[in-house]
Amino acid sequence: MEFNLEPCADEALPENQRLAAAEDLVGHRITAVIPDCSGPKARGGEMLIVTETGCWLVLRPDDDGDGPYITVAGAHAFSRTDAEALSDFATAGELLAAGLITKAQHDYLRAEEKRQEDDRNALRAAALRAELAKLEGANHA
């Protein structure tokens, strides 16, 4: 009797990507958990689970009236084509405290966070100045 062995399907774990379901954690080793993460895409109260391969899962507490429960954040709207990074859900300080980045990486991410914050503040200031000019124009008319 003769037979050929077929190579097994590649079962390598994904790396550096957001996981879409709790079941996707199977086989991963969890290296960090950040409770109440506060990155720009976090909505508050979320928990971030980070694996050894750099993958992450965002869990969100919910309450549907029947009682509290935990869901995977964005499970229905999430698509693997979304360009998201771990730093979208945790701040540079949170990532450093969890031991996920170096001090140099923290400094780089913090500078980027500061630039984005400055951009948002500039937009708000411009909108407020425009509103003030509009109100002053109405008062002089």
Side-chain angles (χ1 to χ4, degrees):
M1 180 171 201
E2 190 175 320
F3 61 93
N4 293 326
L5 292 176
E6 296 293 323
C8 294
D10 182 17
E11 294 186 26
L13 294 172
E15 294 184 10
N16 301 313
Q17 69 180 23
R18 182 176 175 186
L19 302 175
E23 297 79 31
D24 293 342
L25 282 173
V26 173
H28 284 272
R29 181 175 177 197
I30 295 172
T31 57
V33 175
I34 301 173
D36 201 22
C37 55
S38 56
K41 288 190 176 181
R43 295 191 327 199
E46 295 167 325
M47 179 174 23
L48 186 64
I49 298 174
V50 184
T51 72
E52 190 173 47
T53 61
C55 293
W56 71 96
L57 182 72
V58 183
L59 298 177
R60 176 176 294 137
D62 284 318
D63 188 350
D64 64 358
D66 292 332
Y69 60 96
I70 295 174
T71 60
V72 175
H76 301 293
F78 173 69
S79 161
R80 292 217 190 276
T81 60
D82 291 341
E84 292 181 319
L86 184 57
S87 59
D88 289 334
F89 293 93
T91 64
E94 291 168 337
L95 294 171
L96 182 64
L100 297 169
I101 59 174
T102 66
K103 177 70 171 124
Q105 290 169 317
H106 167 269
D107 294 345
Y108 173 80
L109 287 174
R110 183 60 195 124
E112 182 62 24
E113 288 172 354
K114 177 80 170 106
R115 185 193 61 74
Q116 290 173 358
E117 185 179 322
D118 290 346
D119 290 348
R120 283 190 303 273
N121 288 340
L123 287 172
R124 286 184 195 131
L128 288 172
R129 281 192 295 275
E131 185 67 24
L132 178 62
K134 191 176 178 182
L135 290 172
E136 286 177 342
N139 286 339
H140 293 295

